[in-house]
Amino acid sequence: MDALKSQIPEVDRYFGVNSMKEILEEIGIGVQERSVDPESNHRTGHYAFLKISEGCDRTCAFCSIPAIRGKYISRPVKELITEASHLAESGVKELILIAQDLSYYGLDLYREQKLPQLISELLKIESFEWIRLHYLYPANFLRILFP
């Protein structure tokens, strides 16, 4: 963003892709910290997406996501379980976990891969009939299953 600021100084404010709170404050809409809203999970009928992280730490030659979305940032397990519980209460039967790389989940926040623990906690929510995983990076998959 610094490069943009120096190249286009006429712009009053710059916001990143994760700056929703700052954007809302800038336009005068008060906002509290992230609230759990089942409708914000792209809910369609019986299924909903649950985004467990943002960004990516990989440097794949074919991908620009790290440059666009930033570093990998895992959401805390407790926050995800709360949100998933609300989704279940609203009638969701199929929960789809999404991230740029689910297998990396937890490394930034807990210093270890936490996807198995997250899934174990989600399985305790009995109303889910399916939990799908989108997307797992193959290099880490076996380390998750066989630590």
Side-chain angles (χ1 to χ4, degrees), residues 8 11 16 19 21 33 35 37 44 51 59 62 66 71 85 98 101 105 110-111 124 127 132 138:
I8 314 170
V11 174
S19 301
K21 182 179 178 186
E33 284 299 315
S35 62
D37 178 7
T44 306
K51 193 170 199 177
T59 55
F62 56 84
K71 292 277 192 187
S85 296
I98 58 171
D101 179 4
Y105 176 73
Y110 304 108
R111 302 290 179 237
K124 294 176 185 175
S127 59
R132 296 185 194 266

Side-chain angles (χ1 to χ4, degrees), residues 12-106:
D12 294 327
R13 291 284 308 264
Y14 285 89
F15 300 97
V17 294
N18 298 319
S19 301
M20 184 58 70
K21 182 179 178 186
E22 292 82 5
I23 292 169
L24 293 174
E25 288 173 352
E26 181 69 18
I27 62 174
I29 299 174
V31 69
Q32 297 174 350
E33 284 299 315
R34 180 185 166 93
S35 62
V36 176
D37 178 7
E39 299 308 315
S40 70
N41 295 85
H42 307 289
R43 182 168 185 252
T44 306
H46 71 280
Y47 68 91
F49 296 98
L50 181 62
K51 193 170 199 177
I52 70 167
S53 69
E54 190 62 64
C56 186
D57 284 353
R58 299 192 183 283
T59 55
C60 304
F62 56 84
C63 184
S64 61
I65 287 170
I68 296 168
R69 304 301 285 180
K71 292 277 192 187
Y72 196 97
I73 303 170
S74 299
R75 292 178 58 198
V77 170
K78 185 176 179 178
E79 179 180 303
L80 293 169
I81 297 305
T82 299
E83 194 164 338
S85 296
H86 287 282
L87 290 167
E89 290 167 10
S90 72
V92 170
K93 298 294 180 198
E94 179 178 354
L95 186 66
I96 304 170
L97 302 186
I98 58 171
Q100 292 310 126
D101 179 4
L102 291 173
S103 66
Y104 201 87
Y105 176 73

Side-chain angles (χ1 to χ4, degrees), residues 92-95 125-131:
V92 170
K93 298 294 180 198
E94 179 178 354
L95 186 66
I125 303 172
E126 295 179 9
S127 59
F128 291 136
E129 295 177 17
W130 304 276
I131 297 177

